[in-house]
Amino acid sequence: MREVKTMGPLFDKNVINTGRQTEADCTKAVCIVTMIIVHVLEELGTFFPSPEVNESAVFYFFVVIIDALFGASTFMFCMGFGIAFSGKNDGDSMIRRGIRLFFCAYLLNIARYGIPDLLNWLITGDSTMCREDFPELLLANDILQFAGLAFILFGFLKKRRISDTGLAVTALVMSALGSIFRNFDLSELLHITGRIPYAVVNQLGGLFFGTIYSYDPEIDLTCFPLMNWFIFVTAGYLFGGVMRRCKDKGRFYRMAVPAGAAVVAVYLAFAVPKRLGMMNENTNMLYHLTTPEALTGIISAVTFFGLFYGLSKILPNSFSVIASRISRNLTTIYVFQWVLIECVLTGALTVMQLQGVSDEEWPAVSLPQIFLVAAVIFAVSMLAAELIRKRKKNHK
């Protein structure tokens, strides 16, 4: 729909903008590319560390700054934004979608952790990879678990006809509770013993609150607890509701982007040098973020929306077309990239085990290798997603 430009009030009482929104598609597309880079840096950098990678400004920029301000927080904001523009955002539809996503999340854990580790055991005869962290990995909480729970909760709130104000209050209260009750070992508090029960209780509790493993507080297997992160979905939904009635998005973003960029710049100038909060290398500080940090992430998301809206107006139309295709395949790309990353990692470890290479002799990766692997994984994931979409379309 053609955008209406006016010098009068920015917003109308009636809905003006419908369908896919270019700024959201562009934001999600660039987000998934940067997220793949982050995941490859984290995984390969952990198992094949080198000072060139792990101690570089590039590593900190992607794994900490980008991941905090242009990673999961922006994805979840986009999730809520998409709900506002979706034609299937009634309570029942959202609950069904949430249940599917929640179970898909654990199937992904089996595909990216369980199957590769079992194959490693069968090929090498060494069960170490299956014994170490296996229960924690299969139950690991990630963004799909959160998305499933968020859709289910949003669906129930929609069925109860909760107002926008009620949604905002609910999200803020949840975020405040998540900020208070975080970084605790639930199994230890409940005096749970035994490795598997200990992992199960902490992981299930981690779906809602930011639990940790007291024996290693930097293990980040309880990511994106619902209490801490639901605020992003709510903010995106409320922002989407506002933008549906915006008569001149260009004018709105010209005001929003400078203000948002200033807030983010001040936050970075204060937090980065001191490694405060989600700017700390301990990723649990991001995954279990506080309400002020969440609000900063929301402001950052709106700022990126405005930046990509502006870019979409000056770049060739092909940029928006490609972004839309990537955005439509977002979940499939996300699933495939994780499976491919873990298969590459486990495959490399298997080869070295068969060759008798000790842990101390594992080769170190370089930044060019990291970016090459990330590019290949994105290309293969995108190709697979497109083939799956075409096959579904042909079977309709």
Side-chain angles (χ1 to χ4, degrees):
M1 178 175 286
R2 185 174 62 86
E3 185 179 328
V4 179
K5 295 188 177 182
T6 176
M7 293 305 293
L10 267 175
F11 303 100
D12 198 280
K13 292 181 179 179
N14 301 314
V15 172
I16 294 175
N17 301 304
T18 58
R20 301 193 72 87
Q21 303 299 296
T22 302
E23 65 268 38
D25 281 341
C26 293
T27 301
K28 287 191 285 185
V30 178
C31 256
I32 192 65
V33 173
T34 57
M35 184 175 281
I36 291 173
I37 294 172
V38 168
H39 290 163
V40 174
L41 275 167
E42 287 180 327
E43 296 299 298
L44 296 189
T46 297
F47 285 89
F48 309 108
S50 69
E52 177 195 352
V53 174
N54 298 67
E55 299 175 13
S56 68
V58 172
F59 186 89
Y60 182 81
F61 176 74
F62 277 100
V63 173
V64 179
I65 297 177
I66 289 294
D67 200 22
L69 297 177
F70 193 57
S73 58
T74 304
F75 266 124
M76 294 172 187
F77 185 87
C78 290
M79 187 191 309
F81 188 86
I83 292 171
F85 282 87
S86 174
K88 295 182 179 180
N89 62 1
D90 61 282
D92 289 333
S93 295
M94 294 186 67
I95 291 171
R96 286 194 296 270
R97 184 178 180 185
I99 292 171
R100 288 197 299 269
L101 279 172
F102 189 73
F103 282 103
C104 176
Y106 289 103
L107 291 177
L108 173 59
N109 282 352
I110 293 172
R112 62 175 168 169
Y113 298 132
I115 293 175
D117 284 2
L118 286 172
L119 288 174
N120 171 270
W121 184 8
L122 290 173
I123 293 171
T124 66
D126 185 353
S127 63
T128 303
M129 290 182 65
C130 284
R131 288 185 288 106
E132 292 183 355
D133 302 327
F134 201 64
E136 293 90 342
L137 289 171
L138 291 182
L139 292 171
N141 305 330
D142 211 333
I143 199 167
L144 286 185
Q145 280 89 346
F146 166 81
L149 290 175
F151 271 108
I152 292 170
L153 176 57
F154 220 100
F156 278 117
L157 294 174
K158 292 273 284 188
K159 286 171 71 71
R160 296 296 298 271
R161 301 183 185 277
I162 303 297
S163 66
D164 286 353
T165 302
L167 285 172
V169 171
T170 299
L172 283 168
V173 170
M174 289 175 64
S175 178
L177 290 172
S179 301
I180 296 169
F181 302 105
R182 64 175 189 147
N183 298 331
F184 64 96
D185 190 321
L186 182 59
S187 297
E188 193 173 79
L189 287 176
L190 298 176
H191 304 289
I192 302 295
T193 58
R195 184 181 173 199
I196 293 179
Y198 179 91
V200 169
V201 170
N202 255 334
Q203 294 297 145
L204 294 181
L207 291 169
F208 303 96
F209 291 94
T211 59
I212 61 171
Y213 290 87
S214 57
Y215 62 84
D216 189 349
E218 293 194 7
I219 292 180
D220 55 1
L221 296 179
T222 59
C223 311
F224 314 117
L226 184 68
M227 303 298 284
N228 303 70
W229 289 83
F230 187 68
I231 190 172
F232 289 100
V233 181
T234 303
Y237 174 77
L238 297 177
F239 180 70
V242 169
M243 295 310 292
R244 292 183 73 198
R245 298 181 290 103
C246 185
K247 293 190 284 187
D248 188 347
K249 291 199 292 183
R251 181 179 158 204
F252 172 82
Y253 285 128
R254 282 194 296 273
M255 293 186 293
V257 169
V263 171
V264 173
V266 169
Y267 170 76
L268 290 174
F270 179 72
V272 169
K274 298 180 181 180
R275 299 298 195 261
L276 296 177
M278 58 184 181
M279 291 297 106
N280 192 284
E281 286 88 344
N282 179 354
T283 51
N284 279 327
M285 300 303 291
L286 165 63
Y287 295 141
H288 309 161
L289 48 65
T290 62
T291 303
E293 291 168 334
L295 295 176
T296 303
I298 290 166
I299 292 170
S300 176
V302 173
T303 304
F304 280 116
F305 265 49
L307 288 173
F308 286 114
Y309 178 83
L311 284 173
S312 71
K313 297 299 182 183
I314 60 176
L315 292 176
N317 187 57
S318 56
F319 174 75
S320 298
V321 172
I322 294 171
S324 177
R325 291 177 65 181
I326 296 172
S327 177
R328 289 174 186 271
N329 293 314
L330 194 66
T331 302
T332 309
I333 293 172
Y334 177 83
V335 169
F336 267 93
Q337 60 94 28
W338 259 130
V339 173
L340 289 171
I341 289 171
E342 295 303 327
C343 285
V344 167
L345 177 60
T346 307
L349 295 175
T350 301
V351 169
M352 285 186 291
Q353 283 177 286
L354 292 173
Q355 293 178 345
V357 179
S358 65
D359 295 2
E360 294 78 14
E361 298 174 314
W362 286 358
V365 293
S366 65
L367 284 173
Q369 290 172 328
I370 291 285
F371 285 105
L372 177 61
V373 170
V376 172
I377 286 175
F378 169 73
V380 174
S381 300
M382 182 64 190
L383 177 61
E386 281 288 291
L387 292 173
I388 291 172
R389 175 172 285 276
K390 287 180 181 179
R391 185 171 181 180
K392 286 182 178 179
K393 188 177 180 180
N394 292 336
H395 280 74
K396 285 184 178 179

